[in-house]
Amino acid sequence: MLKPPIPSLIRNLSVSHMAWLIAIVGVVTTVMFAQAMLREEASKDAEMHRVGELVELSLTMSSYVHEQQKERGASAIYLSSRGTQYSDELANQRTLTDARLQAVRDQAGEVLSRKLDPVVEQGLVAFLTKAEEIPQIRARIDSLSIDRGPAIGFYTGLNHQVIHFIGGTSHGISDAAISNRLLNYSAFLMGKDSAGIERALGASGFAVGSFNPSLKQNMTTQIAAQSAMLNHFASYSEPDLAQAVETIRTSDSSVQVEAFRDIALSGTPEQIARIAASEWFNISTERINSLKALEDQIAASIGALAKIAMNRADRSFMVLSLMIAAAVLLA
């Protein structure tokens, strides 16, 4: 029976040389396996750093939305009063909005230089492109050449682009805890934005001293929307955050907003006339600022979670590198 041929080089090796060959094969195999493990761990580490950048950008964008919500409301009063009310307040608010928008643009430039999930990148670019229209919309507001509805709609559209982007950052994130919190955070932001729309609509009605059926219907829709979104958020949140939502709902500012709502939706013309647009705007802003404080708390918890994930990924990569280096040396 023929034996399988053995390469003469190997056949003629001494026992010591054969041992060296086996050792070398073992080292090469270990190195190749180690490289595969390192590549996988490096990929996880890079992902966590991308997640950290996206979370940081999302928090900056939510702060921008908060300022733009106030600009939307001030614009509604200015347009409804035909430029006789809130001119100075609107100008000051635009300065605050611009500062936040510039911060978003600065961070977005850094983030876009990295490799992103296509859906996330598309959402960010779409928002930045739409934001270029802000100067033209402001000019039309100043000249009273745009109606209240389209103006509010423009700002609301921008806000929703941001909120959808924040929710969309969960795409491609392997860390389920961070992904789920971002999705729930976006639900909270949608509820808060509905509160901002209600503020703008109510300010429009009180500015002219009347609420037509269409305006009442729009307000009712926004009241229902914010309630639904905040309920959704509370249902999927930790107990302390759910309790914080309930605390805001029973706060003095919320009780006063509810009283003004009743007047706006079913009050007499005399009752409506006794409430200034600025009074409604200020008490609504007080309530929304409470939501903003909770928003910041939620954002901080997500940021902390992302930082923990980044640090964990960094440590894992470093430990694995040291273990592999030691294994190769010992081999």
Side-chain angles (χ1 to χ4, degrees):
M1 183 174 180
L2 293 176
K3 294 183 179 180
I6 301 175
S8 59
L9 181 63
I10 296 177
R11 184 180 55 198
N12 295 328
L13 285 176
S14 65
V15 173
S16 61
H17 287 161
M18 183 67 74
W20 273 106
L21 178 60
I22 293 173
I24 290 172
V25 171
V27 170
V28 170
T29 302
T30 300
V31 170
M32 293 177 63
F33 180 68
Q35 286 179 332
M37 291 180 65
L38 278 176
R39 280 195 297 269
E40 181 179 354
E41 201 63 36
S43 177
K44 292 179 182 177
D45 189 48
E47 180 200 346
M48 285 301 101
H49 280 272
R50 284 196 299 272
V51 169
E53 288 184 338
L54 285 172
V55 168
E56 186 176 348
L57 175 60
S58 295
L59 306 187
T60 300
M61 293 177 81
S62 70
S63 293
Y64 157 72
V65 167
H66 181 69
E67 296 302 331
Q68 186 167 263
Q69 286 168 341
K70 289 187 281 187
E71 180 178 337
R72 176 180 58 193
S75 299
I77 296 177
Y78 181 84
L79 287 169
S80 296
S81 68
R82 304 304 296 169
T84 63
Q85 298 179 37
Y86 256 61
S87 176
D88 293 340
E89 291 86 345
L90 178 56
N92 293 335
Q93 183 54 50
R94 285 173 175 174
T95 300
L96 297 175
T97 304
D98 286 344
R100 294 294 187 182
L101 179 57
Q102 187 57 51
V104 170
R105 284 171 170 155
D106 291 342
Q107 280 187 243
E110 291 292 325
V111 170
L112 287 171
S113 67
R114 315 279 195 267
K115 183 179 180 181
L116 297 177
D117 179 273
V119 174
V120 173
E121 181 175 350
Q122 183 180 4
L124 181 55
V125 171
F127 162 73
L128 293 172
T129 301
K130 190 67 175 178
E132 295 295 328
E133 299 177 24
I134 291 176
Q136 292 91 333
I137 294 297
R138 287 175 172 174
R140 294 180 64 190
I141 291 172
D142 291 342
S143 64
L144 303 176
S145 59
I146 186 173
D147 290 335
R148 180 197 67 224
I152 292 177
F154 172 79
Y155 287 117
T156 298
L158 270 180
N159 291 347
H160 286 183
Q161 279 188 299
V162 170
I163 295 169
H164 290 151
F165 168 80
I166 292 173
T169 56
S170 61
H171 285 283
I173 295 179
S174 60
D175 191 306
I178 296 176
S179 178
N180 291 337
R181 288 200 187 191
L182 283 169
L183 286 171
N184 207 28
Y185 181 49
S186 66
F188 177 86
L189 292 176
M190 285 296 288
K192 178 172 172 282
D193 194 61
S194 289
I197 298 172
E198 182 198 3
R199 174 177 57 188
L201 295 172
S204 299
F206 286 119
V208 298
S210 65
F211 289 80
N212 61 38
S214 176
L215 187 54
K216 288 182 179 180
Q217 181 58 51
N218 285 339
M219 280 192 68
T220 301
T221 298
Q222 296 306 322
I223 292 168
Q226 62 188 281
S227 179
M229 287 295 99
L230 294 178
N231 284 341
H232 174 90
F233 170 79
S235 296
Y236 292 93
S237 294
E238 296 80 357
D240 61 322
L241 295 179
Q243 181 57 49
V245 172
E246 187 59 31
T247 299
I248 292 171
R249 280 175 165 158
T250 57
S251 66
D252 291 342
S253 59
S254 292
V255 171
Q256 187 61 62
V257 165
E258 185 65 38
F260 283 178
R261 281 175 179 169
D262 290 341
I263 292 173
L265 298 176
S266 58
T268 66
E270 291 75 19
Q271 288 176 312
I272 293 173
R274 284 197 291 267
I275 299 175
S278 59
E279 188 177 2
W280 158 263
F281 188 89
N282 290 338
I283 195 64
S284 294
T285 298
E286 184 178 335
R287 172 175 173 265
I288 292 172
N289 283 344
S290 297
L291 291 171
K292 173 59 177 171
L294 178 54
E295 173 189 325
D296 291 342
Q297 182 181 342
I298 302 164
S301 70
I302 297 174
L305 198 63
K307 188 172 183 180
I308 290 172
M310 283 191 293
N311 291 338
R312 184 170 59 241
D314 286 342
R315 285 195 301 271
S316 296
F317 181 73
M318 183 178 297
V319 169
L320 181 61
S321 298
L322 291 173
M323 289 176 62
I324 290 173
V328 170
L329 289 174
L330 290 174

